[in-house]
């Protein structure tokens, strides 16, 4: 059976990787090793399929993204108050940093010395974040699906569902948004939704009659989406046996949770590749920049890849707004909620929701994993 095969793979991984211990409690840290191990052929094939890249181009892109991830904090420090945000330019293969036009030449030189390209802009990241924060405190109608800072466009982008654009409440929200500062309105075809599902077959964990996906192992359990369960809710695994209990959960506002693991279950620093790619080792949680490639593993649609489109986006689900999500071009479907987003070997976040599907395409948001680790004092289990 596929279940038995996956269990053998997990046990084999334990032996090959040095025999990790069962779930325990360690001091809270977020490992962020940026080492560059060899890339598996399966991961390259997935990037070829989903990003339209040849194997050499996919390999080169992963190397460039690792460099950009390391450059970003140095460039942010060099820019200081002139920081306008950053993004990975796939065409140029490097990080681009926005710097306000009034910055002195010495600041521009300091940013370039980190290896980043520089683009001058009118508004600083702090100014744009302030505009977004005002929107976060303004109730949004259902026709407004999301809003975020777009550093490349140097504006706050508000997404509106096409069929709801003429709605009076939507128009009033947009008027308030434009009064707050630089705002651009984008029309989208569908409203976002979470990706929980009813109990069906697959590689799940279950809470009652809902199925979701495991995100990342931490010492003591795993992290996942908050909308999948409330504190105290029991969790069972793919075989129906008891795993543990939701120890913390937040939704809406946030969309994160963690589940304790016991009863013979253990944690390993692995993300399932579902036969599309080999199971992926997790070596840290260094945050990939906007524009970087990212892949998702979930119990319904398994392994899919895309790019990071935006960060710190507020998404207006029917249950309420969720803040500080990262937007991607990766597809997902019901049952994928809580599943892993990974860039190379670095954990990025847990699947929250989106729109569309993996047949016709769509977009998906994840809750950054480092926020979850910090919130609950957890330590990511890494190889």
């Amino acid at each position: 059976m596929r279940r038995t095969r996956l269990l053998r793979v997990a046990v084999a991984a334990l032996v090959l990787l040095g025999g990790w211990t069962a779930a325990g409690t360690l001091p809270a840290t977020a490992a962020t090793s940026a080492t560059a191990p060899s890339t598996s052929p399966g991961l390259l094939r997935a990037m070829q399929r989903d990003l339209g890249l040849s194997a050499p181009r996919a390999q080169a892109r992963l190397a460039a993204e690792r460099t950009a991830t390391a450059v970003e904090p140095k460039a942010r420090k060099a820019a200081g108050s002139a920081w306008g945000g950053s993004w990975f330019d796939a065409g140029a293969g490097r990080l681009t940093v926005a710097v306000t036009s009034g910055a002195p030449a010495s600041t521009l030189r300091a940013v370039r010395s980190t290896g980043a390209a520089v683009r001058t802009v009118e508004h600083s990241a702090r100014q744009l974040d302030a505009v977004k924060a005002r929107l976060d405190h303004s109730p949004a109608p259902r026709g407004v699906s999301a809003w975020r800072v777009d550093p490349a466009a140097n504006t706050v982008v508000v997404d509106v569902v096409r069929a709801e654009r003429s709605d009076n409440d939507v128009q009033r929200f947009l008027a308030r948004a434009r009064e707050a500062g630089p705002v651009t309105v984008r029309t989208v075809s569908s409203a976002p939704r979470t990706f929980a599902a009813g109990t069906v077959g697959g590689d799940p964990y279950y809470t009652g009659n809902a199925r979701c996906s495991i995100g990342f192992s931490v010492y003591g359990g795993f992290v996942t989406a908050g909308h999948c369960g409330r504190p105290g809710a029991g969790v069972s695994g793919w075989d129906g046996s008891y795993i543990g209990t939701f120890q913390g959960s937040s939704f809406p506002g946030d969309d994160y949770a963690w589940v304790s693991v016991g009863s013979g279950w253990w944690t390993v620093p692995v993300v399932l590749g579902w036969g599309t790619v080999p199971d992926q080792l997790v070596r840290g949680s260094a945050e990939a920049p906007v524009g970087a490639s990212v892949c998702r593993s979930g119990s319904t649609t398994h392994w899919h890849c895309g790019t990071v489109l935006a960060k710190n986006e507020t998404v207006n689900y029917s249950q309420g707004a969720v803040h500080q999500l990262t937007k991607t071009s990766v597809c997902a479907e019901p049952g994928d909620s809580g599943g892993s987003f990974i860039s190379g070997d670095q954990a990025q976040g847990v699947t929250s929701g989106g729109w569309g599907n993996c047949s016709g395409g769509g977009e998906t948001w994840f809750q950054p994993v480092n926020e979850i680790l910090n919130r609950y004092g957890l330590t990511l289990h890494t190889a």
Side-chain angles (χ1 to χ4, degrees):
M1 292 178 64
R2 183 164 62 90
R3 287 290 119 221
T4 303
R5 180 184 64 78
L6 289 173
L7 184 58
R8 287 201 299 267
V9 168
V11 174
L14 283 172
V15 175
L16 290 172
L17 296 167
W20 297 298
T21 60
T25 302
L26 292 179
T29 61
T32 55
S33 168
T35 56
S38 59
T39 305
S40 73
L43 175 58
L44 296 180
R45 286 194 297 270
M47 293 180 70
Q48 288 176 261
R49 179 196 67 190
D50 293 337
L51 297 177
L53 301 174
S54 65
R57 286 180 62 201
Q59 185 78 66
R61 176 161 178 167
L62 286 171
E65 289 173 355
R66 283 192 291 267
T67 299
T69 298
V71 164
E72 197 271 350
K74 300 174 185 177
R76 181 190 290 265
K77 183 177 180 180
S81 61
W83 173 258
S86 68
W87 61 95
F88 178 74
D89 185 334
R94 64 193 300 199
L95 188 76
T96 297
V97 170
V99 178
T100 52
S101 55
S106 59
T107 297
L108 301 181
R109 288 194 299 270
V111 174
R112 290 192 179 100
S113 71
T114 67
V118 173
R119 180 187 297 179
T120 56
V121 295
E122 180 180 357
H123 308 287
S124 69
R126 180 176 296 180
Q127 290 171 319
L128 296 177
D129 287 343
V131 174
K132 179 183 176 293
R134 289 185 63 180
L135 301 189
D136 286 346
H137 291 89
S138 180
R142 292 187 60 181
V144 176
S145 65
W147 53 95
R148 64 194 173 277
V149 171
D150 184 340
N154 198 225
T155 187
V156 173
V157 178
V158 178
D159 288 343
V160 175
V161 178
R162 181 176 293 109
E164 303 290 334
R165 178 145 188 179
S166 60
D167 179 79
N168 289 337
D169 291 336
V170 170
Q171 288 301 311
R172 281 191 287 270
F173 182 89
L174 294 179
R176 292 194 300 271
R178 292 186 177 101
E179 291 174 358
V183 166
T184 300
V185 178
R186 189 184 76 137
T187 301
V188 297
S189 59
S190 303
R193 59 193 172 100
T194 56
F195 285 128
T199 301
V200 295
D203 200 18
Y205 72 87
Y206 299 95
T207 55
N209 65 346
R211 171 170 61 87
C212 283
S213 301
I214 292 172
F216 293 97
S217 291
V218 297
Y219 287 98
F222 64 84
V223 295
T224 187
H227 69 263
C228 291
R230 293 302 179 199
V235 174
S236 59
W238 59 266
D239 61 353
S241 66
Y242 177 76
I243 294 178
T245 304
F246 275 84
Q247 298 297 321
S249 178
S250 179
F251 179 81
D254 309 294
D255 195 4
Y256 51 58
W258 85 279
V259 175
S260 61
V261 167
S263 303
W265 289 75
W266 64 89
T267 66
V268 293
V270 172
V271 172
L272 287 176
W274 297 97
T276 301
V277 301
D279 294 351
Q280 301 292 297
L281 294 178
V282 178
R283 289 191 167 91
S285 56
E287 185 179 332
V290 171
S293 63
V294 68
C295 297
R296 180 192 55 73
S297 181
S299 63
T300 298
T301 58
H302 299 173
W303 187 272
H304 287 272
C305 298
T307 57
V308 177
L309 299 178
K311 296 184 180 182
N312 192 24
E313 181 156 0
T314 299
V315 177
N316 193 34
Y317 295 124
S318 62
Q319 301 94 328
V322 175
H323 308 294
Q324 295 180 311
L325 296 181
T326 297
K327 184 179 186 177
T328 77
S329 63
V330 187
C331 66
E333 294 180 12
D336 288 327
S337 276
S340 321
F341 266 92
I342 188 167
S343 182
D345 58 9
Q346 299 294 305
Q348 298 299 306
V350 301
T351 304
S352 174
W355 63 269
N357 55 52
C358 289
S359 298
E363 294 174 332
T364 304
W365 288 267
F366 66 79
Q367 185 89 64
V369 68
N370 287 332
E371 181 183 356
I372 310 172
L373 300 178
N374 292 334
R375 169 63 178 83
Y376 295 117
L378 302 170
T379 301
L380 186 67
H381 196 165
T382 58

